[in-house]
């Protein structure tokens, strides 16, 4: 079994007490398996009282033709200018009582450049109509719901121990496989 540390992006779901519909949030963690991350996931969303599940996940090893590796913080190369960003795009379909979201990762030098990349996606171009344009919420004066540097989203203990090493690939590489579908936390082996 591979014991190499990897970055994971996980969409967690639960229906907290007092809510009428399932809620979702994105969790980033560093571990050797999903099971390793269970205590961190539960700590991340205490209001769920441990009643969370996974709706989607991926190992984050390749993004935008870049390799993503986990290295000890003491071996971090501070001269690397490329950063890994998470963006949550929001959009609508006419006559559909829903806000749709597209979660993406982008490697870029700045948050502004990563945001520009997000606006070239098919989701951004096609999920919206006059009066309800696709967006990246007005929070930053641009049209994106949420946007963050991934290393800022990691649990505090992981930030102290590890760093993301991002290197451009000389050959074309595909982004990581997405695993979509309900996974009970208790079923992780």
């Amino acid at each position: 079994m591979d014991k190499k540390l990897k970055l994971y992006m996980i969409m967690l779901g639960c229906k907290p007490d007092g809510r009428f519909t399932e809620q979702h949030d994105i969790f980033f963690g560093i571990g050797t398996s999903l099971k390793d991350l269970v205590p961190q996931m539960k700590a991340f969303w205490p209001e769920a009282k441990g009643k969370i599940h996974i709706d989607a996940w991926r190992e984050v090893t390749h993004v935008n033709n870049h390799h993503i590796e986990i290295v000890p913080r003491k071996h971090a190369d501070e001269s690397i200018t490329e950063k890994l960003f998470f963006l949550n795009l929001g959009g609508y379909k006419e006559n559909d009582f829903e806000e749709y979201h597209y979660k993406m990762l982008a490697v870029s030098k700045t948050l502004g450049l990563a945001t520009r990349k997000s606006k070239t996606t098919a989701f951004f171009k096609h999920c919206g109509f006059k009066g309800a344009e696709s967006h990246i919420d007005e929070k930053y004066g641009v049209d994106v719901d949420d946007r963050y540097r991934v290393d800022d989203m990691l649990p505090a203990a992981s930030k102290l121990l590890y760093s993301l090493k991002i290197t451009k690939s000389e050959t074309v590489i595909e982004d990581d496989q997405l695993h979509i579908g309900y996974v009970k936390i208790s079923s992780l082996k």
Side-chain angles (χ1 to χ4, degrees):
M1 184 156 95
D2 185 12
K3 290 292 182 186
K4 183 178 179 182
L5 288 173
K6 295 173 261 189
L7 175 65
Y8 287 85
M9 175 178 164
I10 303 167
M11 182 168 53
L12 297 174
C14 83
K15 192 172 104 183
D17 292 341
R19 300 290 178 199
F20 297 109
T21 60
E22 183 177 321
Q23 314 289 294
H24 293 96
D25 206 345
I26 295 294
F27 170 80
F28 284 92
I30 294 173
T32 60
S33 68
L34 285 176
K35 185 177 180 176
D36 279 356
L37 299 174
V38 170
Q40 293 177 49
M41 288 186 272
K42 289 179 177 180
F44 170 75
W45 202 344
E47 303 84 4
K49 299 179 182 167
K51 298 177 184 173
I52 57 175
H53 62 271
I54 296 171
D55 280 311
W57 65 276
R58 77 182 266 190
E59 292 177 9
V60 182
T61 62
H62 298 97
V63 176
N64 302 136
N65 219 38
H66 288 77
H67 297 287
I68 311 296
E69 298 173 80
I70 305 304
V71 296
R73 167 109 359 239
K74 64 185 176 190
H75 295 134
D77 182 352
E78 300 300 326
S79 69
I80 294 175
T81 59
E82 300 284 355
K83 303 295 179 205
L84 180 62
F85 294 97
F86 166 76
L87 297 105
N88 183 32
L89 309 179
Y92 307 94
K93 293 181 181 177
E94 201 163 9
N95 297 316
D96 202 345
F97 194 78
E98 185 66 59
E99 179 184 5
Y100 296 93
H101 287 94
Y102 177 71
K103 288 139 183 65
M104 68 174 282
L105 295 174
V107 172
S108 190
K109 291 184 190 231
T110 68
L111 190 52
L113 290 171
T115 301
R116 274 189 236 140
K117 283 182 184 180
S118 74
K119 291 183 177 187
T120 66
T121 64
F123 178 90
F124 196 87
K125 292 176 182 176
H126 301 293
C127 273
F129 55 94
K130 189 166 177 53
E133 289 76 16
S134 59
H135 61 279
I136 315 169
D137 270 352
E138 317 316 328
K139 183 176 180 179
Y140 297 96
V142 295
D143 299 319
V144 176
D145 263 354
D146 305 289
R147 58 193 192 147
Y148 303 96
R149 269 183 54 175
V150 170
D151 46 2
D152 290 339
M153 297 174 74
L154 291 169
S158 293
K159 286 190 242 185
L160 288 173
L161 296 172
Y162 307 110
S163 183
L164 302 180
K165 178 181 176 185
I166 302 170
T167 53
K168 179 119 175 101
S169 174
E170 298 304 317
T171 59
V172 176
I173 51 175
E174 301 260 338
D175 284 356
D176 302 298
Q177 177 184 359
L178 302 179
H179 303 271
I180 311 297
Y182 183 91
V183 176
K184 287 176 80 170
I185 298 285
S186 61
S187 73
L188 296 174
K189 296 182 185 352

